[in-house]
Amino acid sequence: HIGDVSAQTMIDVLRDKDSGVCVDSESFLTTASIVSVLPQDPSFPSVHYFTGTPDPSRSIFKPFIFVDDVKLVPKVQSPSFGDDDPAKKIPRFQEKPDRRHELYKAHEWARSLLESDQDKGQKLMRIMLDLEKQGLEAMEDILT
């Protein structure tokens, strides 16, 4: 891909199980995968594509542009436990709260469907990849 490396190229690399780059989520969990497009022209924004889930082969990359006063998306924020957080209580870490955010839970559901029902799983994967493609195209439009 010399001279023609795109965000899609890098996403494909991160999904490549045969090369060992994409590790199956059964054997090793990562937090997320990211691909960043850093334009040479500083007047263009940098675009970052995050999975927010552990397995890029079963997840989509969602575009994000960092801006001032960004609105946080509740579905990708781990729950807050305030003063009841085991990390804040003394003695610390006596409990293990469920810190999975809604996107992570949806990823787990999708993973289960992909593994248990091939037809529904493939249909879901096509829908997810179509959404990802729409995001890639929208960001490409912004950069051009």
Side-chain angles (χ1 to χ4, degrees):
H1 295 284
I2 294 175
D4 190 30
V5 176
S6 65
Q8 184 64 62
T9 305
M10 295 311 301
I11 288 170
D12 293 343
V13 167
L14 290 172
R15 287 188 172 136
D16 185 4
K17 287 188 181 252
D18 292 337
S19 70
V21 171
C22 180
V23 181
D24 190 283
S25 52
E26 288 300 319
S27 59
F28 180 79
L29 287 179
T30 61
T31 304
S33 294
I34 180 174
V35 169
S36 294
V37 177
L38 309 173
Q40 293 180 352
D41 182 340
S43 67
F44 288 103
S46 295
V47 179
H48 309 277
Y49 299 90
F50 296 95
T51 60
T53 53
D55 186 344
S57 72
R58 299 176 180 160
S59 183
I60 65 171
F61 286 78
K62 293 153 286 299
F64 189 85
I65 298 173
F66 289 96
V67 295
D68 291 335
D69 301 320
V70 68
K71 259 189 190 172
L72 297 176
V73 180
K75 292 198 181 290
V76 296
Q77 292 179 318
S78 292
S80 174
F81 298 97
D83 291 336
D84 289 332
D85 192 321
K88 295 179 181 177
K89 289 182 178 179
I90 305 293
R92 296 179 65 199
F93 302 109
Q94 299 300 303
E95 309 165 32
K96 185 177 180 185
D98 184 358
R99 295 188 187 276
R100 297 173 303 159
H101 52 68
E102 292 303 312
L103 178 62
Y104 189 92
K105 290 176 184 179
H107 173 79
E108 288 180 324
W109 172 84
R111 180 177 152 211
S112 173
L113 183 66
L114 288 167
E115 292 172 354
S116 65
D117 188 326
Q118 189 172 8
D119 291 337
K120 287 182 181 178
Q122 291 305 315
K123 182 178 179 183
L124 174 63
M125 198 67 206
R126 282 191 300 274
I127 291 168
M128 289 170 42
L129 291 174
D130 185 54
L131 288 170
E132 178 182 87
K133 181 180 176 192
Q134 290 175 38
L136 284 162
E137 289 170 352
M139 293 303 107
E140 187 62 32
D141 287 348
I142 287 173
L143 294 175
T144 56

